[in-house]
Amino acid sequence: MKTLALVIGNNNYPGRSKLNNAVNDAFEISETFRKLHYKVIYKENCVSSDYGDLLTEFESQLPNFDASIFYFAGHGFQFDGENYLASIECPIEHPTKHSCERTCIRLAELTEIIRKATTKINIIIIDACRRSFSRGVASSFTQVNAPEGTIIAFSTSPGEGAKDSGIEGHSLYTGVLLKYIGREFLSVEELFKKTRRTVYNLSDGTQTSWEHTSLVGDFYFNTGQMIYSVSIPYDESVVKDRMFVSKGTDIDQIISDLRSCNWDKQNPAMSRFKLIAPQLLNKNQQFIIGRNILQASGYAYNATDFMDNLDSRLAKYNNDDENHVLNGILYEIYFDNNGDFRKGKFKTNCIDKVFALRHRSNFEQSFKFIDKALAPYRSEIYYVPGKADSTIDVDVLARNSTRTDFSGVEKECQTIDSIHVFDRDITQTINKIHGCGGNLSYLKKTMIEFLVAPEELVNLNSNIPIDNLCFEEPLDTIF
């Protein structure tokens, strides 16, 4: 069902009305809706003029959709018989009818837009009905009537208060809602029922969510279309590939054998994989197979052969400028089987072969994919593979010295005082990885793996020749 969502979150109210988590709530809801492939209109910390623009855009787009969702997190209240959703300019502590009309959305205004629309299902979610300044004012919402085909869900029952905090940086209500909203084939009414029960239990009975409904059809937020991340368009079971469960198909058996870490299973699995026409594999299957080809390479010779001839092997999996097998290979370098960033424990055994493809136009989209996936971790990495390459200069400061090995023999060496990449001193980190011994070329191999970068981009600058390096720590290696 084609769905349009308008999502608003307001924190920056004046004085003691300021909130902490409404924007967090709205942002996470909007991201979840995007993962569900909904069209999302999103705005945070709205001033009065924003509301007119948002409602106009929402109303003008509704004819193109089958369902609509409106979500609001912030201050909401009733005044003089009207229900209002406050912008951050609303004088919440001392409202007047005229100030409310100019600085708020009237709930009746929203329901009138929905009443005139042709959408079959309409969902309004208000995380705002409050008694106190924790998120609201002195009175709760007045009676509302849902237009036909509409469900209006409130975070509390009339007259109850609600907490701005509750679960993982969210209000109690939205935090619980987020736990259920992605569950497959859970009807909207069952979802709100589960949410109500959990909110009640977690608040020790002090908060009960409430809905008014005139739905005449069924709606499911997730019918299997949900993706793990906006930037990672694959199912969670292959992004967190520890969750993969074989359904017994031939392709699932290939995936299971590749994941086995047993080369007696991996080699024949690779042979069977090569015989399958690419169009018979969906993107999730190709992605997880790519991950496990990299994992198996270096152990299973058929996987190693695939990586040794990567350019030609991957070509047949290109489809509309996408290559999901290569996406899986790139993802496996940086992320573990729980979908978590490896934080320095990267899989670097084949990066020279993989990164050699970065300037090939037919693989360009894969390198854009990994660029997006790595965006949250830019402060933790030194290089992202792509066209915009630049040399990574490593500055090594050393001095000539002597050390006595365990046999009592004094040896000449070069003691490393510091290693800098950009403005970062990585001396202690490289000491733990590299230890003592080796020349500058050997150190460069360590740096390539640490930086996860192509050899040709890593340039080591040293103030003296190095042929037997060591660090300041006590000698633990025989030179």
Side-chain angles (χ1 to χ4, degrees):
M1 187 172 285
K2 196 175 178 183
T3 303
L4 173 67
L6 171 56
V7 180
I8 295 170
N10 293 334
N11 273 352
N12 295 339
Y13 293 98
R16 67 192 185 103
S17 303
K18 183 177 175 62
L19 299 173
N20 295 317
N21 292 316
V23 168
N24 292 344
D25 294 346
F27 178 78
E28 194 62 34
I29 286 287
S30 70
E31 287 296 287
T32 300
F33 288 167
R34 288 188 178 100
K35 293 174 189 177
L36 290 162
H37 296 292
Y38 299 166
K39 166 70 174 178
V40 177
I41 304 168
Y42 174 76
K43 186 72 175 178
E44 59 189 50
N45 291 319
C46 296
V47 296
S48 306
S49 59
D50 291 328
Y51 278 166
D53 294 339
L54 289 170
L55 290 179
T56 298
E57 183 179 1
F58 184 64
E59 184 175 26
S60 66
Q61 291 198 37
L62 277 179
N64 302 317
F65 292 87
D66 306 306
S68 76
I69 304 174
F70 175 87
Y71 172 92
F72 177 85
H75 283 302
F77 57 91
Q78 72 89 10
F79 185 88
D80 201 18
E82 287 279 2
N83 296 312
Y84 293 102
L85 306 177
S87 75
I88 62 172
E89 295 179 328
C90 177
I92 295 170
E93 298 184 43
H94 304 287
T96 67
K97 178 177 177 60
H98 298 298
S99 66
C100 290
E101 289 291 334
R102 287 162 176 76
T103 62
C104 300
I105 292 175
R106 287 186 297 109
L107 190 55
E109 183 180 11
L110 179 64
T111 56
E112 185 60 24
I113 290 172
I114 289 171
R115 193 185 310 277
K116 294 177 179 178
T118 57
T119 44
K120 300 174 184 176
I121 300 288
N122 302 284
I123 301 165
I124 299 173
I125 304 171
I126 309 295
D127 193 358
C129 185
R130 305 292 198 264
R131 290 188 306 174
S132 69
F133 282 100
S134 59
R135 197 188 284 181
V137 292
S139 55
S140 61
F141 283 97
T142 191
Q143 177 66 36
V144 294
N145 294 310
E148 184 177 336
T150 302
I151 183 168
I152 304 177
F154 293 97
S155 58
T156 66
S157 294
E160 283 187 341
K163 300 176 179 66
D164 185 40
S165 60
I167 297 179
E168 299 172 358
H170 299 291
S171 74
L172 178 59
Y173 179 72
T174 294
V176 172
L177 191 65
L178 287 164
K179 298 286 186 183
Y180 293 122
I181 207 165
R183 188 169 295 183
E184 288 191 23
F185 297 103
L186 186 66
S187 72
V188 63
E189 289 174 315
E190 184 64 22
L191 175 137
F192 285 123
K193 181 179 178 181
K194 286 181 175 293
T195 299
R196 181 165 59 254
R197 180 168 56 242
T198 302
V199 167
Y200 182 85
N201 290 336
L202 295 184
S203 68
D204 196 22
T206 62
Q207 182 175 340
T208 309
S209 58
W210 175 82
E211 299 86 40
H212 182 85
T213 181
S214 62
L215 286 180
V216 293
D218 292 327
F219 180 85
Y220 304 87
F221 284 92
N222 184 15
T223 56
Q225 83 278 14
M226 189 172 190
I227 59 176
Y228 175 71
S229 166
V230 175
S231 61
I232 306 174
Y234 300 100
D235 288 351
E236 188 173 10
S237 62
V238 298
V239 172
K240 298 181 178 182
D241 68 337
R242 64 175 178 78
M243 297 174 60
F244 173 80
V245 177
S246 173
K247 297 179 181 178
T249 66
D250 290 342
I251 293 171
D252 280 3
Q253 189 58 53
I254 289 171
I255 295 170
S256 296
D257 288 347
L258 285 174
R259 296 176 71 244
S260 68
C261 298
N262 181 340
W263 69 271
D264 282 329
K265 292 183 177 181
Q266 291 170 328
N267 279 319
M270 283 298 302
S271 298
R272 299 198 306 275
F273 166 63
K274 292 174 185 177
L275 296 176
I276 298 175
Q279 59 267 29
L280 298 179
L281 298 164
N282 64 41
K283 68 176 185 178
N284 290 301
Q285 292 166 334
Q286 292 186 37
F287 181 78
I288 194 172
I289 286 172
R291 295 191 67 177
N292 284 283
I293 288 174
L294 180 66
Q295 180 269 129
S297 64
Y299 302 97
Y301 57 81
N302 276 346
T304 301
D305 175 73
F306 189 97
M307 297 303 297
D308 286 343
N309 300 277
L310 195 57
D311 192 345
S312 59
R313 300 293 192 194
L314 285 173
K316 71 176 183 177
Y317 299 100
N318 263 30
N319 182 22
D320 294 331
D321 294 325
E322 293 282 356
N323 193 302
H324 302 294
V325 177
L326 179 55
N327 287 1
I329 291 171
L330 285 164
Y331 193 80
E332 182 68 13
I333 292 172
Y334 296 97
F335 297 90
D336 64 19
N337 67 356
N338 194 45
D340 293 328
F341 184 62
R342 293 187 184 275
K343 293 185 177 180
K345 299 179 180 179
F346 305 112
K347 289 194 174 180
T348 59
N349 54 303
C350 291
I351 59 171
D352 56 334
K353 302 178 179 69
V354 178
F355 291 173
L357 306 177
R358 68 190 187 278
H359 297 308
R360 295 288 303 274
S361 60
N362 54 326
F363 298 127
E364 181 179 353
Q365 292 304 316
S366 289
F367 288 94
K368 288 183 177 180
F369 157 77
I370 200 62
D371 180 76
K372 289 182 180 179
L374 290 172
Y377 312 101
R378 290 293 169 80
S379 63
E380 301 180 56
I381 52 180
Y382 295 85
Y383 172 76
V384 176
K387 284 189 173 182
D389 284 344
S390 59
T391 300
I392 304 172
D393 291 307
V394 181
D395 298 328
V396 182
L397 178 63
R399 52 189 161 82
N400 289 310
S401 59
T402 58
R403 285 288 180 97
T404 302
D405 65 19
F406 290 126
S407 63
V409 178
E410 192 173 76
K411 299 251 184 195
E412 291 185 356
C413 63
Q414 294 77 47
T415 299
I416 304 297
D417 289 326
S418 67
I419 302 175
H420 281 87
V421 179
F422 306 130
D423 58 348
R424 305 183 199 179
D425 186 339
I426 60 171
T427 312
Q428 295 303 317
T429 302
I430 298 302
N431 183 11
K432 292 175 183 178
I433 298 172
H434 186 284
C436 293
N439 57 20
L440 202 61
S441 295
Y442 186 63
L443 177 61
K444 183 174 181 177
K445 292 180 181 179
T446 300
M447 294 303 307
I448 289 167
E449 292 191 4
F450 173 73
L451 298 170
V452 197
E455 180 178 1
E456 67 270 20
L457 294 181
V458 178
N459 174 53
L460 264 63
N461 304 308
S462 176
N463 64 318
I464 61 174
I466 293 177
D467 55 26
N468 192 16
L469 67 84
C470 65
F471 292 87
E472 281 291 354
E473 281 70 19
L475 184 66
D476 58 2
T477 303
I478 298 176
F479 293 114

